[in-house]
Amino acid sequence: MQLPIYLDYASTTPVDPRVAEKMADCLTMGGVFANPASRSHVYGWQAEEQVELARRHVASLLACDPREIVWTSGATESNNLALKGIFESAEFAGGLVTSTSEHKAIIDPAKWLSEKGVTVHWLEPGRDGVIDVEKVRLAISDQVRLVSIMLVNNETGVINPIAEIGKLCREKGVLLHVDASQAVGRVDIDVSRLSVDLMSVSAHKFYGPKGVGALYVRRSIQSQLKPLILGGGHERGMRSGTLATHQLAGMGEAARLIKELEDVEADELAAKRDCLWAGIEDLPGVRRNGGSQNISPSHLNVCFSGVDGETLLLALRELAVSSGSACTSASLDPSYVLTAMGISDEDARRSIRISIGRFTSDDDVNNAVDHIRKIYTELNQTQSI
Ligand SMILES: *Cc1c(COP(=O)(O)O)cnc(C)c1O
């Protein structure tokens, strides 16, 4: 069987072979396998050294101090820790401002907080998918404690004006959390320039392993974060549990590589993504969701009006793409991210997310264009009979 072309990098990326090699060095006897918290022998010291090197790489990626990085199991946990941790320490007093186009890993904890008594202000994105700074300004009242807005949307690739939202939050004395899972290596990240207090990242979105991530916690607010997981007091008390040396070494190496490639890689992705769009944009009834400005270079979300979405997805056998996000595609519901932008249920169902990455070749792009053109034209003909 000929495997389809992988164009679903926004749901996860393959581990870079250089990362896999680093990880393999941290598993077996003879490698750096020990518990980084073991202080009494050289094995432990080596593991700690490895973990702290990884911490410096991730800190450098976000332009923060290594002491501001808290290891987690991924962005879902980071988001939970940020939202629940801030409100638990305040006994659920005050309000949260977030949006209806966030990942479920923000929406569900926000709903949970709402049940605990937190007032949640849900902002709607504009037709372009962007969260308007003025809407954030209007939603911030004296009672609001935290704003949580993602940097890059996982379905559309739309980039939010976080630097402006950050500036606003500072003026108002409100904390800002940012889910930056989709942004690493795609857009510039600097937590100080963006005025962010908390930021979530996930290794498997940037060629690292699954099951590991980090939460950036600004030093001056660390006392305001209540841990979710207790036991042992690891990570300065903010997240207990034996550190997964191999996972962290992998995440560190992935961070080092993506930082090194940053500018070049984002430009190359944008060129390939634009080439893909240029190859299909003249097809009748084809539109780009979220527009063409201000989009992560890895994303292309396309509405193929004129054909049934489910049928199209099944017919595109040579491509591994997704309708909506991987997390919600088990259901037949249209993408809530697209409908929040004012796109009809029908058009949301006819939309497909194509996302490219480090290992997408020019041939992949050309073959994808040919395949989409062929299938879409065939479907259009059968449906008009
Ligand atoms: C992938 C993703 C998550 C979840 O990350 P995990 O590490 O898989 O838990 C959260 N938010 C966004 C925007 C994502 O893209």
Side-chain angles (χ1 to χ4, degrees):
M1 187 185 117
Q2 173 85 37
L3 282 171
I5 303 167
Y6 188 75
L7 296 174
D8 202 13
Y9 279 79
S11 71
T12 195
T13 60
V15 170
D16 189 291
R18 293 163 282 189
V19 170
E21 201 177 312
K22 266 272 180 308
M23 292 178 70
D25 290 342
C26 294
L27 288 167
T28 50
M29 185 54 103
V32 187
F33 71 90
N35 188 331
S38 297
R39 291 280 152 77
S40 55
H41 49 69
V42 67
Y43 297 100
W45 305 336
Q46 284 174 345
E48 188 189 21
E49 201 175 285
Q50 194 61 249
V51 166
E52 293 314 310
L53 176 66
R55 201 188 297 277
R56 288 197 295 278
H57 288 321
V58 172
S60 151
L61 187 63
L62 306 184
C64 68
D65 188 294
R67 287 166 294 185
E68 297 177 304
I69 296 295
V70 176
W71 298 126
T72 65
S73 64
T76 300
E77 185 187 329
S78 299
N79 288 350
N80 274 268
L81 176 56
L83 268 57
K84 292 178 172 176
I86 290 296
F87 282 99
E88 272 203 36
S89 76
E91 272 147 19
F92 304 106
L96 168 70
V97 175
T98 187
S99 101
T100 53
S101 53
E102 292 289 316
H103 191 276
K104 287 284 184 192
I106 289 291
I107 293 192
D108 288 354
K111 284 184 180 161
W112 184 87
L113 287 173
S114 160
E115 284 162 20
K116 294 278 175 191
V118 172
T119 312
V120 182
H121 305 262
W122 295 98
L123 303 179
E124 297 270 347
R127 180 85 203 181
D128 54 4
V130 178
I131 299 299
D132 184 357
V133 184
E134 285 316 304
K135 283 191 191 166
V136 180
R137 187 190 302 280
L138 288 173
I140 294 180
S141 63
D142 294 344
Q143 276 81 45
V144 168
R145 181 175 304 276
L146 180 72
V147 171
S148 180
I149 300 289
M150 71 206 316
L151 182 45
V152 171
N153 184 275
N154 47 304
E155 290 193 32
T156 56
V158 166
I159 302 167
N160 280 316
I162 295 300
E164 290 167 62
I165 293 172
K167 196 161 159 270
L168 173 67
C169 288
R170 282 285 150 83
E171 275 167 29
K172 303 265 190 183
V174 173
L175 299 177
L176 175 62
H177 167 257
V178 170
D179 180 349
S181 306
Q182 294 284 336
V184 175
R186 280 71 170 179
V187 305
D188 227 21
I189 298 179
D190 178 323
V191 289
S192 295
R193 190 179 51 75
L194 297 174
S195 309
V196 169
D197 300 297
L198 299 135
M199 181 178 273
S200 305
V201 292
S202 173
H204 77 93
K205 301 292 172 68
F206 59 94
Y207 318 102
K210 292 166 193 56
V212 60
L215 180 67
Y216 156 76
V217 189
R218 186 176 291 283
R219 282 199 89 188
S220 55
I221 70 145
Q222 292 189 350
S223 60
Q224 295 178 54
L225 190 79
K226 210 149 185 196
L228 295 182
I229 298 173
L230 306 174
H234 305 76
E235 298 299 279
R236 292 168 311 289
M238 287 181 279
R239 204 279 195 178
S240 289
T242 301
L243 293 174
T245 315
H246 63 302
Q247 298 287 80
L248 297 173
M251 182 167 180
E253 181 65 1
R256 189 188 70 78
L257 285 169
I258 206 150
K259 171 95 183 143
E260 192 178 278
L261 300 168
E262 208 159 42
D263 302 329
V264 190
E265 189 162 56
D267 287 350
E268 284 174 3
L269 284 178
K272 283 182 186 139
R273 188 269 321 272
D274 291 346
C275 183
L276 220 165
W277 175 238
I280 59 173
E281 67 174 325
D282 65 310
L283 290 168
V286 168
R287 253 186 308 104
R288 234 173 125 166
N289 294 319
S292 58
Q293 302 298 310
N294 216 31
I295 305 272
S296 151
S298 50
H299 278 72
L300 182 62
N301 194 306
V302 185
C303 175
F304 294 88
S305 63
V307 297
D308 173 61
E310 204 68 17
T311 313
L312 179 65
L313 205 63
L314 285 173
L316 288 172
R317 274 183 301 272
E318 292 173 28
L319 308 182
V321 290
S322 78
S323 65
S325 69
C327 327
T328 47
S329 60
S331 66
L332 289 172
D333 290 342
S335 149
Y336 68 88
V337 170
L338 297 181
T339 54
M341 290 159 63
I343 293 171
S344 69
D345 284 12
E346 221 170 23
D347 277 353
R349 281 205 187 84
R350 293 164 172 158
S351 296
I352 281 180
R353 177 185 72 184
I354 302 171
S355 51
I356 61 170
R358 184 172 290 168
F359 308 105
T360 307
S361 66
D362 290 330
D363 276 350
D364 289 341
V365 169
N366 294 333
N367 291 336
V369 165
D370 291 346
H371 188 58
I372 293 171
R373 295 193 74 88
K374 180 167 161 280
I375 297 294
Y376 186 65
T377 310
E378 279 172 15
L379 284 178
N380 250 337
Q381 278 162 359
T382 36
Q383 294 201 349
S384 57
I385 288 169

